[in-house]
Amino acid sequence: MAQHTLIALLQDRAGVLHRTVTLLRRRGFNIASLAVGRSEVPGISRMTLVVDATDASQVVMQLDRLVEVIGVTDVTNERAVQRETALAKIVSSPKRLAELVEIVATHGARVLDLSEEELIVQITDTPERVEEFITLIRPEGLAELMRTGRLAMMRGRTPKKLEAPAHYRAQADGAPTDEEAAA
């Protein structure tokens, strides 16, 4: 079963995330990753969702049926920037931890904390590179791992389906008018 990356615009209200996740659970779609937060427009959240599905159009259709979902699109095969952040704690000998500091740096990770017994590192990169990094450090004594889930943003102009409605944009400080946005 293939993984699909979806971006959705949601009303930022209590219970919306619960309704979204419950809908997908009832339809039998597995959520591989979920990241949601407030968007650039007050009252609207932006969600990146990775689902295991043979046909992502069914997921899009189901989400579009929710009143609180403003728009949703499958960006799996679109031009999009995708990132994920992971924090990892490695427990090992002091000598090996010192060696690992150099190794993690060559893979683009940052050392956040180092003691005689453990090392905490952060990596932010494409989901594939984060997975490769975790595979690399796992045998070194990976004691804890926390991942944010995938974040995705389409390149170029935002599709109409993922634009905040005018009445939401009017609330945002400095938001362009409809005429300015169309220009």
Side-chain angles (χ1 to χ4, degrees):
M1 192 172 300
Q3 284 197 337
H4 297 271
T5 303
L6 309 176
I7 298 175
L9 231 49
L10 315 166
Q11 294 176 359
D12 185 14
R13 287 199 261 161
V16 173
L17 182 60
H18 174 74
R19 287 177 44 90
T20 303
V21 172
T22 300
L23 173 78
L24 296 176
R25 180 188 55 81
R26 285 186 183 154
R27 300 292 188 256
F29 296 111
N30 181 49
I31 299 172
S33 169
L34 175 70
V36 63
R38 292 193 168 130
S39 74
E40 71 284 2
V41 178
I44 295 181
S45 295
R46 196 172 291 272
M47 177 174 71
T48 303
L49 179 71
V50 179
V51 293
D52 298 323
T54 52
D55 183 9
S57 66
Q58 289 297 315
V59 180
V60 171
M61 188 174 69
Q62 293 295 325
L63 290 175
D64 263 338
R65 293 176 60 194
L66 291 174
V67 172
E68 297 92 348
V69 174
I70 296 164
V72 59
T73 190
D74 181 359
V75 299
T76 305
N77 297 315
E78 302 293 330
R79 293 181 338 117
V81 174
Q82 297 187 30
R83 290 291 183 266
E84 182 175 347
T85 296
L87 296 178
K89 182 186 293 180
I90 304 165
V91 177
S92 189
S93 67
K95 180 182 176 196
R96 186 59 184 153
L97 289 177
E99 294 168 356
L100 286 172
V101 167
E102 291 184 31
I103 292 171
V104 298
T106 61
H107 287 81
R110 291 182 25 200
V111 174
L112 300 180
D113 190 54
L114 175 63
S115 70
E116 290 185 14
E117 300 173 346
E118 65 184 36
L119 171 68
I120 298 177
V121 297
Q122 170 192 336
I123 184 167
T124 300
D125 210 320
T126 63
E128 296 80 15
R129 299 253 341 229
V130 169
E131 190 62 41
E132 289 172 12
F133 179 74
I134 292 167
T135 300
L136 173 79
I137 63 170
R138 187 174 298 278
E140 302 292 344
L142 182 61
E144 287 184 42
L145 177 66
M146 181 66 200
R147 298 170 77 157
T148 60
R150 188 175 303 186
L151 301 174
M153 184 172 284
M154 294 184 68
R155 292 182 173 159
R157 189 168 177 91
T158 303
K160 281 283 185 198
K161 199 169 193 171
L162 293 178
E163 284 187 3
H167 62 281
Y168 280 97
R169 281 186 284 130
Q171 299 172 14
D173 292 336
T177 62
D178 287 340
E179 293 80 28
E180 292 171 337

